[in-house]
Amino acid sequence: MTVLVVGDLKPSLVQTLRTRYGAVGEPSPDVAGDVDVVVTSGRFGVDAGLMARLPALRAVLNFGVGYDTTDVAEANRRGVVVTNTPDVLTDCVADTAAALVLDVLRGFSAADRWVRAGNWSAAANYPLTRRVRGTRVGILGLGRIGRAIAHRLEGFGVSTAYHNRRELPGAGYRYLPDARSLAAASDVLVVAASGGADSAGLVSAEVLTALGPQGYLVNVARGSVVDEDALVEALREGRIAGAGLDVFAHEPHVPAALLERDDVVLLPHLGSGTVQTRDAMERLVLDNLDAFLADGRVLTPVPETAP
Ligand code: 8YV
């Protein structure tokens, strides 16, 4: 069995894949034909071009819940199973989203910079910010992570609405039929939808305008879900009040126009980045690999795409 590592993955995972499974790091022409399994992450993935170079491929194991960089339709067509690491990272990503909601409303990151810059004096107090209680939060994508975000924010006394590809009866939150109407009904729009072609640019200029000059955007999902140029313009023109972003369209690139703004909180895609959660993700990748090797039945396959 030949395992190929695609991308720059967690060092301990790569080490185990090398020592225990003899994994290789390059699909050189002499091994490409033998590769049965690829281990990758959402930053890299396996597109149709790479799949075509790996004719023996049978499984793609994704370190991370988001697998939008892997061509699942092509994998289905070729009989290649794709797995991800759901559930184990839900808490940490939801914590990150909740923290960003608090930060954009209360300005903690900007206030920290203000103190460090020596601005706090007997004569100068930090400007007043926005109360969290009573805030209308709109969750775009009420999957596992979206629900965990909503659950956390309930404790802060916000009111919650959501939009999802389909309405979820019994979710307990108000459903709005599209992203624009959700934005119009929200003070903070939190993006928790999966990335990929279906959601690309879902948070458009129109949606941002609907969010309004008192509204904030938080994104912990994928940069591709937001039209990043439109976001920069909306901030520049004061059509929204600010943003909290853990993900960007072209990571690790962050638009220069965002770096100089105090009304945005910028994080380096650290949503799942705790020791415990990354270890759990690593274990789940290896458990999927062992299950695949044992009888081909993986633990956490991603759903097949519609034909
Ligand atoms: C990354 C993520 O996968 O799970 C996801 O979809 O975006 C993250 O957890 C992780 O940073 C590894 O690249």
Side-chain angles (χ1 to χ4, degrees), residues 41 63-66 89 222 269 272 278 281:
S41 80
F63 177 83
V65 70
L89 47 65
R222 282 289 181 267
H269 198 151
S272 68
R278 289 285 167 84
M281 292 162 65

Side-chain angles (χ1 to χ4, degrees), residues 73-161:
E74 180 63 9
N76 293 162
R77 207 181 61 75
R78 290 175 174 271
V80 174
V81 65
V82 180
T83 69
N84 65 346
T85 61
D87 299 319
V88 293
L89 47 65
T90 299
D91 284 334
C92 282
V93 178
D95 290 348
T96 303
L100 282 172
V101 170
L102 298 188
D103 203 340
V104 293
L105 290 171
R106 298 297 311 277
F108 295 134
S109 292
D112 175 277
R113 287 191 293 277
W114 187 83
V115 170
R116 287 169 199 263
N119 290 319
W120 196 19
S121 69
N125 284 317
Y126 193 71
L128 301 183
T129 58
R130 282 265 294 269
R131 183 171 63 182
V132 178
R133 179 164 295 280
T135 297
R136 298 169 305 156
V137 172
I139 311 259
L140 189 58
L142 201 70
R144 286 174 281 236
I145 293 173
R147 283 173 204 256
I149 297 168
H151 187 234
R152 278 159 175 70
L153 291 175
E154 270 166 32
F156 289 93
V158 307
S159 68
T160 306

Side-chain angles (χ1 to χ4, degrees), residues 62-281:
N62 186 67
F63 177 83
V65 70
Y67 49 87
D68 46 308
T69 48
T70 287
D71 189 333
V72 177
E74 180 63 9
N76 293 162
R77 207 181 61 75
R78 290 175 174 271
V80 174
V81 65
V82 180
T83 69
N84 65 346
T85 61
D87 299 319
V88 293
L89 47 65
T90 299
D91 284 334
C92 282
V93 178
D95 290 348
T96 303
L100 282 172
V101 170
L102 298 188
D103 203 340
V104 293
L105 290 171
R106 298 297 311 277
F108 295 134
S109 292
D112 175 277
R113 287 191 293 277
W114 187 83
V115 170
R116 287 169 199 263
N119 290 319
W120 196 19
S121 69
N125 284 317
Y126 193 71
L128 301 183
T129 58
R130 282 265 294 269
R131 183 171 63 182
V132 178
R133 179 164 295 280
T135 297
R136 298 169 305 156
V137 172
I139 311 259
L140 189 58
L142 201 70
R144 286 174 281 236
I145 293 173
R147 283 173 204 256
I149 297 168
H151 187 234
R152 278 159 175 70
L153 291 175
E154 270 166 32
F156 289 93
V158 307
S159 68
T160 306
Y162 75 101
H163 170 67
N164 198 55
R165 268 171 301 191
R166 52 191 178 82
E167 187 172 356
L168 300 164
Y173 306 112
R174 181 172 166 226
Y175 178 73
L176 285 144
D178 52 54
R180 200 204 59 78
S181 57
L182 179 66
S186 302
D187 301 307
V188 185
L189 181 66
V190 180
V191 181
S194 344
D198 290 351
S199 63
L202 186 58
V203 179
S204 60
E206 194 198 3
V207 170
L208 293 166
T209 301
L211 188 55
Q214 305 298 322
Y216 295 86
L217 177 75
V218 164
N219 188 3
V220 292
R222 282 289 181 267
S224 60
V225 184
V226 175
D227 179 339
E228 199 168 77
D229 293 337
L231 172 62
V232 169
E233 277 311 297
L235 286 161
R236 208 193 324 254
E237 292 169 6
R239 278 185 288 111
I240 67 168
L245 307 170
D246 185 41
V247 289
F248 299 86
H250 307 288
E251 295 173 7
H253 171 74
V254 176
L258 295 181
L259 296 175
E260 60 203 29
R261 303 192 67 92
D262 250 353
D263 54 6
V264 294
V265 180
L266 305 170
L267 300 180
H269 198 151
L270 52 64
S272 68
T274 62
V275 171
Q276 295 84 351
T277 288
R278 289 285 167 84
D279 281 352
M281 292 162 65

